[in-house]
Amino acid sequence: MVRPYAIKGKKRKTREEKYDREEDEEVEVEEKESANRGSIEKPKGEAPDEEEEEDESGAHELVGIPIAPSDQNTKKAGVIFVLEKASLEVAKVGKSFQLLNSDDHANFLRKNKKNPAYCRPDIAHQALLAILDSPINKAGRLQAVYVKTEKGVLFEVKPHVRIPRTYKRFSGIMLQLLQQHKITAVGKRESLLRLIKNPVTQYFPVNSRKIGFSYSSEKLVKMSKYVDAVDDDVNLVFVVGAMAHGKIGTEYVDDFIAISGYPLSAAMCIARITEALAEKWNVL
Ligand SMILES: C[S@@+](CC[C@H](N)C(=O)[O-])C[C@H]1O[C@@H](n2cnc3c(N)ncnc32)[C@H](O)[C@@H]1O
């Protein structure tokens, strides 16, 4: 059973509380100052719509699922992330449907001749948090996030969604999404997460450069130098694996790079990418 989200609480006043929201999961609205503080490119504020409830950052606070504040009005080249081969699979375990994971379903997985080591939905969870928490998202430069599961199911995550921070709640949202095909904010038409048709390439902007990531690529680059060399009007599509083992496919990528001499977690890889972009775009 999925727990309801975005129970509106009073806004946090202290600096530590704003940064560490895991301690109080029920408070989902961030202070405007927190959302805008780091960006040198000043976010453009919009006049609040009186008919809709708005937090101080201009993000809508919805009953169904919380939305993170960000400057979505920026009309500059942006960035798209694709998480490939995400281990997000639903199965009936006992009497209920569950999102399979290696900790809770090891016996079930072995009985069904699956290797528990491959069943790691936490990788996609951490990767999504790394993307959505990044300053470049808060500065409005994230255009879209697409996740493709190991089974080939493709879904879109809107950049302004606040993905649950705890794994248990994340797994509830993923279960709901994979069963009902979309998650819509209550009282709104907009789907915040929704299953979409393959191939993912049809959603990329025309002027985009698709960059795949793997530790095993022979082209080892320094990420900051790499993004600096890309023209400012090019939309960047970063394709990162969200699986424990194996390699992403290279069918649609223009370039295939390694960004460290060490194997990184997907979240660490994303952190390097977003930091390099923040430096390039002067987002602090
Ligand atoms: C948990 S890793 C997957 C492990 C897999 N054995 C591999 O090396 O690709 C998740 C993803 O992070 C990215 N990644 C990890 N280390 C990297 C590196 N040194 N350079 C570039 N990308 C890396 C890849 O996209 C990889 O699919």
Side-chain angles (χ1 to χ4, degrees):
M1 189 63 197
V2 182
R3 190 180 144 183
Y5 293 91
I7 300 160
K8 198 170 180 190
K10 65 175 187 222
K11 291 173 187 172
R12 315 302 289 172
K13 291 290 173 216
T14 62
R15 193 181 169 95
E16 313 84 82
E17 284 166 326
K18 274 184 257 163
Y19 282 108
D20 189 359
R21 286 183 286 117
E22 285 196 357
E23 302 216 340
D24 185 353
E25 291 156 25
E26 296 189 341
V27 178
E28 301 287 358
V29 181
E30 272 186 62
E31 299 276 4
K32 179 183 186 181
E33 186 205 340
S34 151
N36 297 342
R37 185 191 304 127
S39 178
I40 279 183
E41 307 165 310
K42 279 277 179 227
K44 293 175 211 146
E46 266 196 4
D49 181 342
E50 283 176 12
E51 284 178 19
E52 292 174 347
E53 204 169 347
E54 232 174 68
D55 74 5
E56 291 169 53
S57 68
H60 298 291
E61 173 69 3
L62 304 170
V63 182
I65 190 166
I67 290 178
S70 79
D71 177 3
Q72 292 297 320
N73 301 324
T74 317
K75 289 272 178 283
K76 293 171 183 163
V79 56
I80 291 172
F81 276 92
V82 182
L83 298 178
E84 281 280 353
K85 296 191 177 178
S87 171
L88 297 166
E89 194 183 337
V90 172
K92 197 170 185 189
V93 186
K95 285 185 180 163
S96 62
F97 285 94
Q98 296 179 24
L99 186 75
L100 296 174
N101 74 75
S102 57
D103 290 332
D104 299 327
H105 307 114
N107 290 339
F108 175 91
L109 290 163
R110 277 192 211 100
K111 266 188 216 158
N112 287 280
K113 301 194 175 14
K114 292 186 182 204
N115 185 348
Y118 284 76
C119 201
R120 296 283 310 282
D122 56 299
I123 297 177
H125 183 212
Q126 297 298 326
L128 281 172
L129 288 175
I131 296 167
L132 298 172
D133 281 347
S134 66
I136 58 156
N137 182 28
K138 300 192 179 194
R141 302 298 287 262
L142 179 66
Q143 287 182 348
V145 182
Y146 301 104
V147 181
K148 192 165 176 184
T149 72
E150 254 170 351
K151 297 257 178 223
V153 177
L154 181 66
F155 65 88
E156 181 186 9
V157 180
K158 291 281 165 69
H160 50 286
V161 168
R162 269 206 194 124
I163 289 291
R165 306 194 79 77
T166 64
Y167 174 72
K168 201 173 169 186
R169 293 174 68 202
F170 171 75
S171 102
I173 281 285
M174 286 300 118
L175 184 63
Q176 198 179 332
L177 173 68
L178 294 169
Q179 290 189 317
Q180 296 172 10
H181 296 189
K182 65 178 174 182
I183 291 179
T184 313
V186 174
K188 304 276 167 184
R189 289 218 180 130
E190 186 193 10
S191 296
L192 301 173
L193 296 103
R194 64 183 178 119
L195 265 54
I196 53 174
K197 282 188 184 156
N198 279 297
V200 69
T201 46
Q202 66 187 295
Y203 308 107
F204 300 159
V206 178
N207 190 19
S208 61
R209 184 173 174 77
K210 283 87 71 188
I211 303 141
F213 288 78
S214 178
Y215 166 61
S216 64
S217 167
E218 282 172 11
K219 185 173 174 184
L220 177 61
V221 303
K222 190 168 183 188
M223 199 58 212
S224 49
K225 274 194 181 165
Y226 186 87
V227 293
D228 270 353
V230 178
D231 286 348
D232 283 340
D233 60 342
V234 174
N235 292 290
L236 293 160
V237 179
F238 295 112
V239 186
V240 177
M243 67 300 195
H245 304 279
K247 203 167 130 181
I248 61 163
T250 51
E251 307 81 42
Y252 64 87
V253 301
D254 302 313
D255 207 359
F256 196 54
I257 60 171
I259 54 169
S260 170
Y262 302 96
L264 306 174
S265 66
M268 184 65 216
C269 180
I270 289 161
R272 282 209 165 177
I273 299 167
T274 57
E275 271 311 294
L277 290 172
E279 221 168 278
K280 175 181 170 73
W281 292 331
N282 216 9
V283 176
L284 297 184

